[in-house]
Amino acid sequence: MEIRLYNTLTNQVERFEPLTAGRVKMYSCGPTVYDFAHVGNFRSFLFADLLRRFLEASGLDVWHVMNITDVGHMTDDAVADGTGEDKMQVAARRLKEDKKSGKVDEGAVANPDDPYEVANYFMHAFLDDGRKLGLKVASEYPHRVPKATQFIPEMQQMIATLIARKHAYVGSDGVVYFSVESFPSYGQLSGNTLEALRVGAGGRIDIDNQSCKRHPADFMLWKPDPKHIMKWDSPWGAGYPGWHIECSTMSMRVLETDVLDIHTGGEDLIFPHHECEIAQSCGATGNELFSRFWMHARFLLVEGEKMSKRKGNFFTVRDILSGKATGTPVHPAVLRMELIKSHYRAHSNFTTKGLTDSANTVRRLTELGQRLRDACGGVPKKIDRADHPVTKAFMGALANDLNVSEAMAVVHAWISSPGEDPAEAYGVLLALDQVLGIWEIAANDCQARDPEGDIAASLCAMIDEARRARDFSAADAHRQRLIQLGYEVRSSSDGTSAKKKLA
Ligand code: AMP
Ligand code: ZN
């Protein structure tokens, strides 16, 4: 089966074949761990997960690496000029406030002034969310999930190589910069030109340190700053690395190669992050290519706008799952379905209607799965993916630049008529789910087979919690929500219960 994927580097859909037959080396930019991940972040992470699972189901051995950015970076990270406020400092301040208000457990981070503790706390929160949502790489931690703070010496080595090869220099402010003019193909990924970047520099690139740099688009590799919240000794003074150099270093080191097969991230990372990664990596190795394919997920939107921490219009994974965000708890399998079901190159809108549709899909799939598993005693027939008409159509759709809508159409049609032989159908379900990862999360969780019952139970618990806190308006809102869903609600001294009203 020919696999075709869209490559941001060439702006076209191309045939994909790994450099080494049978093995794919793939790197995904991971989270900056200074806050809980939001569902927009997870759209990018789960896109990479879907791609990885599809490649695996196609018979390839995939080395998938996702990094953790745990170095204290600046809020104006994108330009990597070391301007803005330190993200770990912001996180520490917020954590202290959240502890006071009870939003975060008192025992969660004993010392919020210790940036390592803060980063560690949010890293584990990310890994927990990831495991719940079936993000395979999260279950592989610490294998293939490198932390930036573990690779400082390697980053310094790469910076020294770049200086030796005349791609980097120490500016008059003592900061080590990458010289974009030393790398003629700078701009190849994003379509930027050095001239346009010089003209358009104001606003995006810090003006204060222009005079210290040779070109306004030159970006920081090492910033000496003895007062920085996280700092390391270096030949250029105690300080910290630039954001871009982290990913160049970790990807090549952990994947044990200087040419990757695939590099992924959200669309906002194309410039400057990925453009800079290419310049640094190729500058250091002398190769023309750093990653053969660059793949980017379009943003998840809320009411037409990018969901982002900066804008404050975001929902964390935990607030969605617990029901805090929308008033209705959501099963992880449902959130996963919602985040993978639209094409990665289309903007998708996060809505409650979308979640309801995803809940229906999950319910249909898990009800069928349960029925088939019971009927065949949990013993599936072995399915030849390339040969069985259902899996063949499903994989064929995904081979066309991950056409997930077409693949889901195959799944829906199959759920409606899964065939006569339950062992064969159960085998098909498991084969499909190797990529979907839905049954995998829901199979041993009886609540997921009844997402609505799950929601009702959670709403009852939320009513009791609100009543205990004497927040009667919240209790009433949850009660109304249950009534809307068609439930009869009873509260007694034993707590609240809900029963579906017969139509
Ligand atoms: P961060 O933790 O901010 O470094 O972001 C982690 C990943 O999430 C990056 O690949 C971003 O491109 C991606 N991302 C951030 N916001 C969104 C969004 N609204 N939709 C999709 N991906 C996003
Ligand atoms: Zn990165």
Side-chain angles (χ1 to χ4, degrees), residues 14-39:
E14 290 176 1
R15 182 185 182 138
F16 173 77
E17 266 178 358
L19 200 56
T20 306
R23 167 161 303 154
V24 180
K25 297 200 172 183
M26 169 170 155
Y27 182 85
S28 302
C29 288
T32 310
V33 283
Y34 72 106
D35 203 347
F36 297 114
H38 59 65
V39 291

mmCIF file of all heavy atoms in Angstrom, residues 14-39:
data_model
loop_
_atom_site.group_PDB
_atom_site.id
_atom_site.type_symbol
_atom_site.label_atom_id
_atom_site.label_comp_id
_atom_site.label_asym_id
_atom_site.label_seq_id
_atom_site.Cartn_x
_atom_site.Cartn_y
_atom_site.Cartn_z
ATOM 1 N N GLU A 14 3.057 13.813 -0.823
ATOM 2 C CA GLU A 14 4.130 13.026 -1.445
ATOM 3 C C GLU A 14 4.081 11.587 -0.973
ATOM 4 O O GLU A 14 3.580 11.309 0.116
ATOM 5 C CB GLU A 14 5.495 13.573 -0.985
ATOM 6 C CG GLU A 14 5.832 14.914 -1.525
ATOM 7 C CD GLU A 14 7.146 15.423 -0.936
ATOM 8 O OE1 GLU A 14 7.791 14.722 -0.139
ATOM 9 O OE2 GLU A 14 7.511 16.542 -1.295
ATOM 10 N N ARG A 15 4.683 10.717 -1.745
ATOM 11 C CA ARG A 15 4.787 9.320 -1.332
ATOM 12 C C ARG A 15 5.737 9.235 -0.136
ATOM 13 O O ARG A 15 6.832 9.807 -0.172
ATOM 14 C CB ARG A 15 5.340 8.506 -2.503
ATOM 15 C CG ARG A 15 5.429 7.064 -2.150
ATOM 16 C CD ARG A 15 6.075 6.245 -3.223
ATOM 17 N NE ARG A 15 6.036 4.869 -2.727
ATOM 18 C CZ ARG A 15 5.742 3.835 -3.441
ATOM 19 N NH1 ARG A 15 5.467 3.971 -4.703
ATOM 20 N NH2 ARG A 15 5.729 2.622 -2.916
ATOM 21 N N PHE A 16 5.318 8.537 0.917
ATOM 22 C CA PHE A 16 6.188 8.405 2.081
ATOM 23 C C PHE A 16 6.809 7.018 2.141
ATOM 24 O O PHE A 16 6.111 6.006 2.097
ATOM 25 C CB PHE A 16 5.409 8.659 3.389
ATOM 26 C CG PHE A 16 6.244 8.360 4.606
ATOM 27 C CD1 PHE A 16 7.224 9.255 5.023
ATOM 28 C CD2 PHE A 16 6.102 7.165 5.301
ATOM 29 C CE1 PHE A 16 8.042 8.968 6.117
ATOM 30 C CE2 PHE A 16 6.905 6.868 6.399
ATOM 31 C CZ PHE A 16 7.873 7.784 6.806
ATOM 32 N N GLU A 17 8.124 7.031 2.263
ATOM 33 C CA GLU A 17 8.837 5.786 2.551
ATOM 34 C C GLU A 17 9.943 6.136 3.523
ATOM 35 O O GLU A 17 10.626 7.138 3.332
ATOM 36 C CB GLU A 17 9.455 5.216 1.272
ATOM 37 C CG GLU A 17 8.556 4.207 0.622
ATOM 38 C CD GLU A 17 9.117 3.654 -0.667
ATOM 39 O OE1 GLU A 17 10.206 4.077 -1.092
ATOM 40 O OE2 GLU A 17 8.435 2.806 -1.245
ATOM 41 N N PRO A 18 10.123 5.364 4.585
ATOM 42 C CA PRO A 18 11.184 5.730 5.535
ATOM 43 C C PRO A 18 12.568 5.572 4.905
ATOM 44 O O PRO A 18 12.736 4.805 3.957
ATOM 45 C CB PRO A 18 10.982 4.749 6.687
ATOM 46 C CG PRO A 18 10.169 3.633 6.147
ATOM 47 C CD PRO A 18 9.391 4.151 4.980
ATOM 48 N N LEU A 19 13.513 6.300 5.477
ATOM 49 C CA LEU A 19 14.884 6.255 4.979
ATOM 50 C C LEU A 19 15.451 4.840 5.102
ATOM 51 O O LEU A 19 16.094 4.328 4.205
ATOM 52 C CB LEU A 19 15.721 7.237 5.813
ATOM 53 C CG LEU A 19 17.024 7.729 5.240
ATOM 54 C CD1 LEU A 19 16.816 8.383 3.883
ATOM 55 C CD2 LEU A 19 17.655 8.759 6.189
ATOM 56 N N THR A 20 15.198 4.227 6.273
ATOM 57 C CA THR A 20 15.630 2.847 6.485
ATOM 58 C C THR A 20 14.391 1.979 6.342
ATOM 59 O O THR A 20 13.395 2.221 7.036
ATOM 60 C CB THR A 20 16.171 2.681 7.928
ATOM 61 O OG1 THR A 20 17.183 3.665 8.120
ATOM 62 C CG2 THR A 20 16.712 1.299 8.175
ATOM 63 N N ALA A 21 14.462 0.988 5.451
ATOM 64 C CA ALA A 21 13.266 0.168 5.196
ATOM 65 C C ALA A 21 12.708 -0.396 6.495
ATOM 66 O O ALA A 21 13.448 -0.935 7.321
ATOM 67 C CB ALA A 21 13.631 -0.953 4.234
ATOM 68 N N GLY A 22 11.424 -0.241 6.683
ATOM 69 C CA GLY A 22 10.744 -0.866 7.817
ATOM 70 C C GLY A 22 10.767 -0.069 9.107
ATOM 71 O O GLY A 22 10.088 -0.422 10.068
ATOM 72 N N ARG A 23 11.578 1.019 9.183
ATOM 73 C CA ARG A 23 11.667 1.762 10.437
ATOM 74 C C ARG A 23 11.446 3.258 10.215
ATOM 75 O O ARG A 23 12.071 3.859 9.341
ATOM 76 C CB ARG A 23 13.023 1.532 11.086
ATOM 77 C CG ARG A 23 13.305 2.515 12.220
ATOM 78 C CD ARG A 23 14.388 2.033 13.126
ATOM 79 N NE ARG A 23 14.072 0.724 13.672
ATOM 80 C CZ ARG A 23 14.980 -0.154 14.085
ATOM 81 N NH1 ARG A 23 16.248 0.130 13.999
ATOM 82 N NH2 ARG A 23 14.602 -1.312 14.586
ATOM 83 N N VAL A 24 10.551 3.833 11.022
ATOM 84 C CA VAL A 24 10.273 5.270 10.894
ATOM 85 C C VAL A 24 10.795 5.994 12.126
ATOM 86 O O VAL A 24 10.517 5.584 13.261
ATOM 87 C CB VAL A 24 8.751 5.527 10.786
ATOM 88 C CG1 VAL A 24 8.461 7.017 10.658
ATOM 89 C CG2 VAL A 24 8.162 4.778 9.602
ATOM 90 N N LYS A 25 11.549 7.063 11.913
ATOM 91 C CA LYS A 25 12.024 7.863 13.040
ATOM 92 C C LYS A 25 11.277 9.188 13.030
ATOM 93 O O LYS A 25 11.412 9.981 12.093
ATOM 94 C CB LYS A 25 13.528 8.058 12.943
ATOM 95 C CG LYS A 25 14.258 6.713 13.031
ATOM 96 C CD LYS A 25 15.695 6.862 13.421
ATOM 97 C CE LYS A 25 16.311 5.488 13.690
ATOM 98 N NZ LYS A 25 17.690 5.580 14.142
ATOM 99 N N MET A 26 10.479 9.366 14.061
ATOM 100 C CA MET A 26 9.530 10.481 14.062
ATOM 101 C C MET A 26 9.630 11.262 15.372
ATOM 102 O O MET A 26 9.661 10.691 16.449
ATOM 103 C CB MET A 26 8.143 9.837 13.916
ATOM 104 C CG MET A 26 6.989 10.733 14.150
ATOM 105 S SD MET A 26 5.502 9.823 13.623
ATOM 106 C CE MET A 26 4.291 10.640 14.614
ATOM 107 N N TYR A 27 9.668 12.585 15.242
ATOM 108 C CA TYR A 27 9.809 13.451 16.417
ATOM 109 C C TYR A 27 8.627 14.423 16.466
ATOM 110 O O TYR A 27 8.260 15.010 15.449
ATOM 111 C CB TYR A 27 11.105 14.245 16.317
ATOM 112 C CG TYR A 27 11.391 15.152 17.498
ATOM 113 C CD1 TYR A 27 12.018 14.660 18.641
ATOM 114 C CD2 TYR A 27 11.050 16.496 17.476
ATOM 115 C CE1 TYR A 27 12.298 15.485 19.722
ATOM 116 C CE2 TYR A 27 11.316 17.338 18.552
ATOM 117 C CZ TYR A 27 11.945 16.814 19.672
ATOM 118 O OH TYR A 27 12.222 17.632 20.740
ATOM 119 N N SER A 28 8.056 14.571 17.650
ATOM 120 C CA SER A 28 6.946 15.519 17.817
ATOM 121 C C SER A 28 7.294 16.504 18.918
ATOM 122 O O SER A 28 7.724 16.103 20.007
ATOM 123 C CB SER A 28 5.672 14.777 18.239
ATOM 124 O OG SER A 28 5.345 13.801 17.283
ATOM 125 N N CYS A 29 7.098 17.791 18.631
ATOM 126 C CA CYS A 29 7.322 18.788 19.675
ATOM 127 C C CYS A 29 6.282 18.569 20.773
ATOM 128 O O CYS A 29 5.082 18.516 20.499
ATOM 129 C CB CYS A 29 7.202 20.198 19.115
ATOM 130 S SG CYS A 29 8.617 20.611 18.082
ATOM 131 N N GLY A 30 6.772 18.426 21.987
ATOM 132 C CA GLY A 30 5.882 18.139 23.110
ATOM 133 C C GLY A 30 5.520 19.401 23.880
ATOM 134 O O GLY A 30 5.750 20.518 23.408
ATOM 135 N N PRO A 31 4.973 19.212 25.074
ATOM 136 C CA PRO A 31 4.466 20.362 25.823
ATOM 137 C C PRO A 31 5.541 21.133 26.580
ATOM 138 O O PRO A 31 6.579 20.580 26.935
ATOM 139 C CB PRO A 31 3.532 19.702 26.834
ATOM 140 C CG PRO A 31 4.172 18.371 27.095
ATOM 141 C CD PRO A 31 4.776 17.939 25.791
ATOM 142 N N THR A 32 5.262 22.407 26.797
ATOM 143 C CA THR A 32 6.035 23.204 27.740
ATOM 144 C C THR A 32 5.315 23.028 29.073
ATOM 145 O O THR A 32 4.143 23.374 29.174
ATOM 146 C CB THR A 32 6.018 24.689 27.334
ATOM 147 O OG1 THR A 32 6.381 24.754 25.953
ATOM 148 C CG2 THR A 32 6.983 25.510 28.151
ATOM 149 N N VAL A 33 6.015 22.473 30.062
ATOM 150 C CA VAL A 33 5.290 22.045 31.253
ATOM 151 C C VAL A 33 5.244 23.131 32.334
ATOM 152 O O VAL A 33 5.852 22.993 33.395
ATOM 153 C CB VAL A 33 5.855 20.711 31.803
ATOM 154 C CG1 VAL A 33 5.369 19.557 30.941
ATOM 155 C CG2 VAL A 33 7.379 20.720 31.836
ATOM 156 N N TYR A 34 4.505 24.166 32.016
ATOM 157 C CA TYR A 34 4.322 25.209 33.030
ATOM 158 C C TYR A 34 2.845 25.398 33.339
ATOM 159 O O TYR A 34 2.457 26.323 34.015
ATOM 160 C CB TYR A 34 4.973 26.526 32.576
ATOM 161 C CG TYR A 34 4.259 27.250 31.458
ATOM 162 C CD1 TYR A 34 3.531 28.407 31.714
ATOM 163 C CD2 TYR A 34 4.314 26.767 30.167
ATOM 164 C CE1 TYR A 34 2.871 29.064 30.690
ATOM 165 C CE2 TYR A 34 3.662 27.412 29.140
ATOM 166 C CZ TYR A 34 2.944 28.566 29.404
ATOM 167 O OH TYR A 34 2.288 29.209 28.393
ATOM 168 N N ASP A 35 2.015 24.498 32.798
ATOM 169 C CA ASP A 35 0.571 24.570 33.037
ATOM 170 C C ASP A 35 -0.020 23.220 32.620
ATOM 171 O O ASP A 35 0.662 22.409 32.011
ATOM 172 C CB ASP A 35 -0.029 25.690 32.167
ATOM 173 C CG ASP A 35 -1.347 26.195 32.732
ATOM 174 O OD1 ASP A 35 -1.899 25.521 33.630
ATOM 175 O OD2 ASP A 35 -1.822 27.244 32.287
ATOM 176 N N PHE A 36 -1.310 23.020 32.909
ATOM 177 C CA PHE A 36 -1.963 21.809 32.413
ATOM 178 C C PHE A 36 -2.156 21.959 30.905
ATOM 179 O O PHE A 36 -2.423 23.062 30.425
ATOM 180 C CB PHE A 36 -3.323 21.632 33.084
ATOM 181 C CG PHE A 36 -3.229 21.429 34.567
ATOM 182 C CD1 PHE A 36 -3.726 22.382 35.443
ATOM 183 C CD2 PHE A 36 -2.642 20.287 35.085
ATOM 184 C CE1 PHE A 36 -3.623 22.208 36.816
ATOM 185 C CE2 PHE A 36 -2.537 20.093 36.458
ATOM 186 C CZ PHE A 36 -3.029 21.057 37.321
ATOM 187 N N ALA A 37 -2.017 20.843 30.176
ATOM 188 C CA ALA A 37 -2.219 20.910 28.722
ATOM 189 C C ALA A 37 -3.687 21.160 28.424
ATOM 190 O O ALA A 37 -4.560 20.689 29.158
ATOM 191 C CB ALA A 37 -1.775 19.599 28.087
ATOM 192 N N HIS A 38 -3.953 21.938 27.353
ATOM 193 C CA HIS A 38 -5.352 22.126 26.968
ATOM 194 C C HIS A 38 -5.696 21.210 25.791
ATOM 195 O O HIS A 38 -4.813 20.557 25.219
ATOM 196 C CB HIS A 38 -5.666 23.596 26.701
ATOM 197 C CG HIS A 38 -4.873 24.279 25.630
ATOM 198 N ND1 HIS A 38 -4.952 23.921 24.303
ATOM 199 C CD2 HIS A 38 -4.012 25.319 25.685
ATOM 200 C CE1 HIS A 38 -4.180 24.709 23.583
ATOM 201 N NE2 HIS A 38 -3.577 25.564 24.408
ATOM 202 N N VAL A 39 -6.982 21.162 25.466
ATOM 203 C CA VAL A 39 -7.378 20.189 24.441
ATOM 204 C C VAL A 39 -6.820 20.565 23.071
ATOM 205 O O VAL A 39 -6.642 19.695 22.217
ATOM 206 C CB VAL A 39 -8.911 19.958 24.395
ATOM 207 C CG1 VAL A 39 -9.378 19.241 25.647
ATOM 208 C CG2 VAL A 39 -9.685 21.230 24.213
#
